[in-house]
Amino acid sequence: MDPIFQPFRDDPHYPLDRYEAAADLMLLNMGPQHPSTHGVFRLKLVLDGEIIVKAVPYMGYLHRGVEKMVEGLTFAQMTPIFNKHDYVSPMTNEQAYAVAVETALGIEVPRRARYIRTILAEIQRIASHLLWLSTFTLDMGGVIGGGAAMMMYNFREREDIFDLFEAVTGSRFHYNTHCIGGQRHDLPEGWVQRVRAFLDRQERAFDEYLRLIRNDIFDLRTKGVGVMSADLALGLGITGPNLRASGVDFDMRRDAPFHAYDEVEVRVAVAQGCDAYARYEVRMAEMRESVRILRLLLDQLPEGPICGSKPVKMANAVRVPDGRGYTAIEGPRGEIGTWLIGGGEDKGAKPFRLKIRPPSLHAMAAMSYLLPGHTVSDVVVVLGSLDPIMGEVDR
Amino acid sequence: MDATLREALAARFPAVDLDQDVLLVPAADHYPLAALLKEQGYTLYVTVAASHHPGPEGDAFEVATVLRRPVRGAPSVAWRVVLGADPHLQSLYPLFPGADLQEREQLDLVGVRFDGHPNPVRLMLSEDWVGHPLRKDYAPNMPHAPWR
Amino acid sequence: MKHYLRGLHLALYETLRQGFKPRITQGMRSVEQHEERYRASFALTHNEHGEQACIACMQCSNVCPSHVIEVTAGPKEASPATGKKRGWAADYTLNLQACILCEMCVQVCPTDAIVMVKVQEKPGFSREDLVLTMDKLYANAKARPLAWANGSILREMQDPKREVKP
Ligand code: SF4
Ligand code: SF4
């Protein structure tokens, strides 16, 4: 890459007039409604010919004011709201919220409920990464056999996952299956066998995916594109697969176990490439790892109650006293955190302030560092490899 | 909090009570604390959250910051700064580039200004929006200018 | 170039192989094909004496996150079947436009009055078509298969002291 772009890669606020352009600079607005932005997101690109000099992200098109809205809702009402930020992994978002309130109140979650949560989270991780794979290859378009075909293959398995979730919760997407202290729905009979059958199918499907996308064009388009050093990733607050693709061996599932992750061995996938290809590698390895963890969890699944506190009978049954704390769990895109200040309206039945830490917003911040020096066609590759979900970025 | 970090913090910030879960830090120590933590290996920028606390003596604001060390055990340090009616605080952008968008979001929604921020404009709402929605006196149900 | 051709062959092989596999496309599911717990729309039930089960306790309208349930309580009168004094709902509307199908209203109902059904409402031509009035809700309970959950089932499932099946 040409060193004249280096100042823009180091500091996105580097003044543009110090750049000596070879041709006239052009301003290109990508979005807000560009099919490859995974939602509504606008990227202002300053172009020198076809090379990006500066990229400025604009967000907020999907801002729904969730943090203001939850200040008027009781804790029992908030779970169904929380699965709508990140509309690709609703299950882990609900869990992040439930864990936050349980930590604040010191509620013990029964062992079976923790296992069910872990199982649902891992299945959700597969579903989320499958959607990432399909949109990533779809964005890159011309990869042989990839493109739209890949999406059909991924959605075949994703549909199976939704069937499994529907069998537990009664809903295909917005589950509302967690409550403070445990689960609202127990697993139905025969569900464990269905998951096992699904895992066998999924394992065979991985080989099909590889046959479709393992070719030179895929490598050429992803290798060396969007290189993010480990220091930059940590400073930006990037977590999850994107961080592990930059060579940082850190996964909350292993390093700060929540749910039942302390009872299974999690082998963390790390790649040293730092580029889009490394992020692809990490996510593919993570899906296979999820299959392995799921088999272990299903073997060990204990019997017992599924909720540690009394079932919700009234809207304001849960009250969080004044106090503050940060809790986080590892979702498919990284650390989903909650900064919770208790003691809000109605004697603490509503939160005083609840800030959601969205992993995607941190990933979005990387765009302006990664893009300078790349061509326009690499924008979709970099954006796709970071796997942001706009509903979560804007909340 | 491990022993070496505790020692370093106690030596540098004697006024801070280190036994709390969330440290209460004076505004002047906000940036030096972050710099010290970064030196000690707390390099993962986790989050910043501002909140508005209206009281009988007028408005107060709180800005909480969380940093994490990406190692086994995932130790994290959270601290908060209490600010008065005209809230402004040193920006952490020179230490953590991730503070750029995060602090802009808090500026937008809560109205805490961050000194030294390279681009202090609204992030989520449009630039001509009036008011800061996450303040407690901003009623959610009434139309606010600009109404769109 | 060699790798390119190899990739092309692998991808084509995979694509052609799919032709010899059983079809996996499926159309819109019928009610029987949905999972047992599937939930789609609402109904109000009668209790075992044939009276309206709702006692107008307002729990459902309090817990609803989108505030779409409106219950108007009638005067408290003795029940003709048991002779005990109880509340009666004079009117009950559920506005399906903003409902997020979260099942919280079903969970809190102490008399299992509000439950869900397995058949979705038909899309309407006006906003009023999606407002479920009391009559529509009672008609739903007769005409459509009820979903698996009701308040007692859900609460019993979550009870921390639940008897565990051997
Ligand atoms: S299912 Fe619909 S009506 Fe019932 S509580 Fe949820 S949003 Fe309200
Ligand atoms: S439907 Fe149930 S919860 Fe709602 S008012 Fe009637 S009895 Fe109470």
Side-chain angles (χ1 to χ4, degrees):
Chain A
M1 187 174 302
D2 205 324
I4 54 170
F5 298 110
Q6 199 56 42
F8 292 98
R9 291 177 72 85
D10 294 339
D11 175 17
H13 301 293
Y14 189 77
L16 204 56
D17 42 14
R18 290 201 214 152
Y19 172 75
E20 282 171 26
D24 279 352
L25 290 183
M26 191 173 90
L27 204 69
L28 181 73
N29 264 312
M30 204 173 154
Q33 287 171 330
H34 191 275
S36 73
T37 52
H38 302 196
V40 266
F41 166 68
R42 179 175 140 220
L43 198 60
K44 197 168 94 184
L45 300 172
V46 180
L47 301 175
D48 182 1
E50 216 197 342
I51 314 278
I52 298 160
V53 180
K54 190 173 173 139
V56 189
Y58 289 90
M59 44 201 80
Y61 296 94
L62 266 180
H63 183 64
R64 287 153 290 172
V66 171
E67 288 173 11
K68 182 73 178 176
M69 181 165 73
V70 294
E71 283 174 16
L73 293 179
T74 63
F75 284 98
Q77 295 173 333
M78 264 150 57
T79 338
I81 307 293
F82 263 72
N83 58 29
K84 292 176 178 61
H85 307 145
D86 177 353
Y87 37 69
V88 175
S89 62
M91 210 57 111
T92 35
N93 275 269
E94 281 182 18
Q95 289 172 356
Y97 162 70
V99 166
V101 183
E102 281 150 13
T103 319
L105 293 174
I107 296 177
E108 177 119 1
V109 183
R111 188 152 173 261
R112 181 174 172 88
R114 286 193 282 123
Y115 264 81
I116 296 177
R117 282 185 183 183
T118 324
I119 290 170
L120 294 177
E122 286 302 322
I123 301 180
Q124 183 72 77
R125 187 181 311 275
I126 297 179
S128 171
H129 284 357
L130 282 178
L131 188 92
W132 161 79
L133 183 63
S134 57
T135 49
F136 185 48
T137 47
L138 187 66
D139 289 349
M140 294 205 295
V143 182
I144 309 169
M150 192 66 187
M151 187 153 188
M152 290 295 134
Y153 285 75
N154 292 154
F155 270 58
R156 179 184 62 192
E157 271 78 44
R158 215 169 106 88
E159 203 62 21
D160 284 353
I161 291 176
F162 285 165
D163 284 349
L164 292 174
F165 284 159
E166 188 186 339
V168 179
T169 68
S171 180
R172 291 179 74 73
F173 209 70
H174 294 304
Y175 313 111
N176 187 22
T177 186
H178 298 82
C179 62
I180 313 300
Q183 300 291 108
R184 285 179 66 238
H185 302 103
D186 204 351
L187 302 180
E189 261 167 51
W191 193 77
V192 173
Q193 284 74 32
R194 283 179 64 183
V195 179
R196 278 187 214 280
F198 159 73
L199 291 179
D200 294 340
R201 257 175 293 151
Q202 179 66 53
E203 204 145 58
R204 268 178 268 128
F206 285 136
D207 300 332
E208 287 180 11
Y209 303 160
L210 289 188
R211 278 201 283 273
L212 282 177
I213 54 175
R214 292 302 304 123
N215 55 50
D216 264 15
I217 297 180
F218 185 84
D219 289 9
L220 282 173
R221 289 215 60 186
T222 51
K223 275 188 182 159
V225 173
V227 176
M228 176 162 58
S229 69
D231 280 347
L232 176 66
L234 287 169
L236 284 171
I238 285 171
T239 43
N242 295 337
L243 179 67
R244 294 192 276 280
S246 291
V248 181
D249 187 7
F250 178 68
D251 189 329
M252 300 268 286
R253 288 180 293 164
R254 180 197 63 194
D255 296 330
F258 47 95
H259 301 345
Y261 284 113
D262 47 351
E263 300 185 29
V264 286
E265 184 212 353
V266 182
R267 296 188 200 139
V268 178
V270 185
Q272 305 294 340
C274 308
D275 52 2
Y277 185 78
R279 298 194 266 279
Y280 152 83
E281 266 182 325
V282 167
R283 289 208 173 82
M284 291 305 272
E286 245 172 43
M287 279 198 270
R288 287 186 191 264
E289 173 64 11
S290 288
V291 171
R292 193 188 65 87
I293 296 177
L294 274 168
R295 290 222 172 94
L296 289 179
L297 287 167
L298 292 175
D299 288 341
Q300 299 174 6
L301 182 68
E303 287 291 331
I306 54 163
C307 191
S309 63
K310 289 216 186 71
V312 177
K313 276 191 198 156
M314 281 190 298
N316 53 6
V318 182
R319 290 200 152 92
V320 176
D322 198 1
R324 40 185 68 62
Y326 177 79
T327 31
I329 68 168
E330 175 97 15
R333 281 175 197 75
E335 181 176 334
I336 311 173
T338 325
W339 172 259
L340 175 65
I341 303 185
E345 282 168 52
D346 198 3
K347 298 194 199 75
K350 299 173 181 176
F352 186 85
R353 169 87 166 93
L354 202 153
K355 144 112 192 177
I356 304 138
R357 181 218 190 262
S360 299
L361 177 55
H362 289 261
M364 271 346 281
M367 291 296 285
S368 44
Y369 289 86
L370 301 189
L371 285 181
H374 284 303
T375 56
V376 179
S377 58
D378 287 335
V379 174
V380 287
V381 178
V382 175
L383 185 70
S385 72
L386 289 171
D387 190 20
I389 295 300
M390 283 303 141
E392 193 187 38
V393 171
D394 299 340
R395 302 183 309 302
Chain B
M1 199 182 292
D2 58 352
T4 46
L5 176 71
R6 213 188 160 87
E7 255 171 45
L9 287 180
R12 179 74 179 72
F13 307 103
V16 176
D17 176 9
L18 294 177
D19 290 328
Q20 296 159 320
D21 288 341
V22 180
L23 311 177
L24 180 61
V25 173
D29 285 349
H30 174 66
Y31 189 90
L33 176 62
L36 183 100
L37 284 170
K38 191 179 176 188
E39 257 168 46
Q40 296 279 334
Y42 286 74
T43 46
L44 178 60
Y45 180 77
V46 178
T47 195
V48 55
S51 49
H52 176 209
H53 300 256
E57 303 94 51
D59 287 2
F61 289 84
E62 239 182 62
V63 179
T65 315
V66 186
L67 295 182
R68 196 188 284 287
R69 223 173 124 193
V71 292
R72 289 266 172 151
S76 66
V77 174
W79 74 92
R80 65 195 170 105
V81 178
V82 177
L83 302 169
D86 176 29
H88 61 99
L89 190 64
Q90 182 81 30
S91 168
L92 292 187
Y93 177 73
L95 296 171
F96 299 101
D100 188 351
L101 294 190
Q102 296 295 312
E103 289 179 349
R104 266 174 74 190
E105 190 193 350
Q106 300 310 311
L107 164 85
D108 184 357
L109 300 179
V110 190
V112 177
R113 285 181 289 114
F114 289 90
D115 305 331
H117 191 284
N119 185 21
V121 293
R122 288 182 182 269
L123 179 71
M124 294 293 171
L125 308 176
S126 66
E127 275 170 34
D128 50 354
W129 195 272
V130 180
H132 300 286
L134 280 181
R135 292 200 177 180
K136 291 284 169 188
D137 47 13
Y138 189 101
N141 292 334
M142 52 191 251
H144 286 270
W147 177 245
R148 51 183 79 187
Chain C
M1 192 62 200
K2 208 174 85 204
H3 298 286
Y4 179 88
L5 282 176
R6 193 172 150 266
L8 183 70
H9 276 120
L10 272 178
L12 277 180
Y13 162 73
E14 188 55 46
T15 313
L16 290 176
R17 208 167 67 92
Q18 294 300 322
F20 300 99
K21 284 188 170 179
R23 256 162 59 106
I24 55 159
T25 33
Q26 51 174 238
M28 175 101 180
R29 294 179 192 202
S30 65
V31 177
E32 298 79 43
Q33 282 169 328
H34 274 297
E35 304 291 342
E36 190 202 356
R37 297 183 179 182
Y38 180 68
R39 54 187 203 234
S41 180
F42 294 88
L44 272 176
T45 56
H46 293 275
N47 66 9
E48 67 271 24
H49 307 301
E51 302 165 343
Q52 65 161 246
C54 175
I55 53 170
C57 67
M58 307 287 174
Q59 294 296 352
C60 54
S61 79
N62 285 343
V63 86
C64 176
S66 347
H67 310 298
V68 295
I69 303 183
E70 268 174 44
V71 191
T72 317
K76 289 204 171 179
E77 279 166 16
S79 137
T82 57
K84 284 199 196 111
K85 216 173 174 195
R86 50 159 283 192
W88 302 86
D91 195 14
Y92 193 107
T93 48
L94 196 155
N95 189 342
L96 214 51
Q97 288 175 67
C99 170
I100 53 179
L101 296 175
C102 66
E103 215 183 24
M104 287 312 283
C105 48
V106 177
Q107 159 149 4
V108 296
C109 181
T111 55
D112 303 347
I114 181 91
V115 293
M116 288 175 112
V117 294
K118 281 184 161 184
V119 184
Q120 285 164 347
E121 291 299 322
K122 292 201 178 63
F125 290 102
S126 71
R127 285 164 188 250
E128 284 70 37
D129 290 351
L130 278 177
V131 178
L132 297 178
T133 57
M134 203 170 186
D135 298 338
K136 273 196 203 169
L137 286 166
Y138 279 124
N140 267 357
K142 295 221 173 59
R144 302 178 179 189
L146 296 188
W148 157 84
N150 62 28
S152 348
I153 293 182
L154 282 172
R155 285 194 301 269
E156 193 195 330
M157 187 171 257
Q158 296 166 43
D159 197 344
K161 295 185 213 68
R162 180 172 66 123
E163 291 291 314
V164 181
K165 294 185 297 273

